[in-house]
């Protein structure tokens, strides 16, 4: 009987950066894969604090926006056996679902590649590989949760692009309830929360143009995807995942030309 090896792939970035879209494309490409949405681990609405200055609920402060203990324990469980608990219900299907297709050639190329990786793992090494994609807007704030990730991807999008995308969204599902941004919520809550959670990842705390810096960023793939097509982003991430050593093998067997 094959042993199960679970590989956790983090897909982080600001709200509206394209992380969930990317995670879903990767799920269709990677055989035997699941998605963990960090948004599903928000505390109950009645526990979300009121901002002391702006008098609205603050769903974006890194300290309070996620039930970190529950999230970390969930990742540990998935890491053990690669299975989503039967009682876990995701709110993501309730959110607006937009389509951003990729080129069929990109899908076919990488699907074939990872099917071969899965076959080699099973037949040559007695390993059943499960890929667990973890997407979240605060994925790299909590070090304990971050340490569980084997591959780390960060989508870096500029402020004005993110703001416009957020404005175009009609609503969010938060803790199973419909949430619509109050006036100036982006300016007062969302963007400051994003900066607070990510300023230690970039030089001089400049989340838009600062160079990645510090131990937290070592080995992380950072993509400025605003100028990349969805196909380009998926292709580059698949290249990164393909370089991960899922089982002992020759170095050149993991190298793929773009």
């Amino acid at each position: 009987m094959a042993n199960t090896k679970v590989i956790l792939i983090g897909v982080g970035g600001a709200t509206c950066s394209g992380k969930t879209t990317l995670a879903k494309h990767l799920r269709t490409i990677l055989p035997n894969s699941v998605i963990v949405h960090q948004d599903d681990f928000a505390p109950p609405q009645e526990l979300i604090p009121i901002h002391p200055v702006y008098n609205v609920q603050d769903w974006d402060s890194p300290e309070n926006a996620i039930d970190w203990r529950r999230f970390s324990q969930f990742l540990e469980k998935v890491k053990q056996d690669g299975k989503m608990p039967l009682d876990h219900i995701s709110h993501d299907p309730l959110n607006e679902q937009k389509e951003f297709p990729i080129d069929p050639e990109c899908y076919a190329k990488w699907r074939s590649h990872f099917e071969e990786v899965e076959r080699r793992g099973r037949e040559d090494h007695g390993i059943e590989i499960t890929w667990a994609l973890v997407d979240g807007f605060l994925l790299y704030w909590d070090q304990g949760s971050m340490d569980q990730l084997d591959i780390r991807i960060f989508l870096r999008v500029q402020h004005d692009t993110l703001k416009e995308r957020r404005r175009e969204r009609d609503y969010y599902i938060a803790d199973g309830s419909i949430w619509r941004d109050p006036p100036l919520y982006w300016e007062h809550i969302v963007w400051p929360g994003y900066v607070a959670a990510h300023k230690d990842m970039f030089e001089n705390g400049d989340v838009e143009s600062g160079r990645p810096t510090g131990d937290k960023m070592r080995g992380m793939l950072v993509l400025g995807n605003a100028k990349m097509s969805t196909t380009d982003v998926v292709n580059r991430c698949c290249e990164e995942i393909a370089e991960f050593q899922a089982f002992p093998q020759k170095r050149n067997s993991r190298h793929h030309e773009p």
Side-chain angles (χ1 to χ4, degrees), residues 208-221:
E208 291 200 86
S209 55
R211 292 175 55 190
T213 187
D215 291 342
K216 186 180 284 190
M217 300 300 287
R218 188 172 293 116
M220 186 181 297
L221 174 64

Side-chain angles (χ1 to χ4, degrees), residues 227-248:
K227 295 182 179 180
M228 300 172 70
S229 70
T230 305
T231 296
D232 291 338
V233 173
V234 170
N235 188 66
R236 180 64 189 90
C237 291
C238 285
E239 290 175 345
E240 185 75 6
I241 296 168
E243 288 294 313
F244 182 80
Q245 188 166 323
F247 41 79

Side-chain angles (χ1 to χ4, degrees), residues 98-139:
K98 291 186 177 182
E99 295 293 328
F100 298 92
I102 63 172
D103 292 346
E105 295 81 2
C106 176
Y107 168 81
K109 168 190 171 182
W110 288 112
R111 179 73 186 188
S112 175
H113 170 82
F114 288 111
E115 285 177 345
E116 176 62 15
V117 170
E118 184 183 43
R119 185 196 65 76
R120 293 203 315 269
R122 183 175 59 253
E123 297 181 4
D124 299 346
H125 302 278
I127 296 173
E128 288 283 358
I129 298 175
T130 295
W131 307 90
L133 298 145
V134 187
D135 86 279
F137 73 113
L138 291 172
L139 204 54

Side-chain angles (χ1 to χ4, degrees), residues 166-185:
R166 178 88 177 202
R167 185 189 64 80
E168 291 174 354
R169 286 193 176 178
D170 290 333
Y171 62 89
Y172 284 84
I173 301 298
D175 182 37
S177 303
I178 294 178
W179 168 265
R180 289 183 169 86
D181 287 350
L184 298 178
Y185 196 74

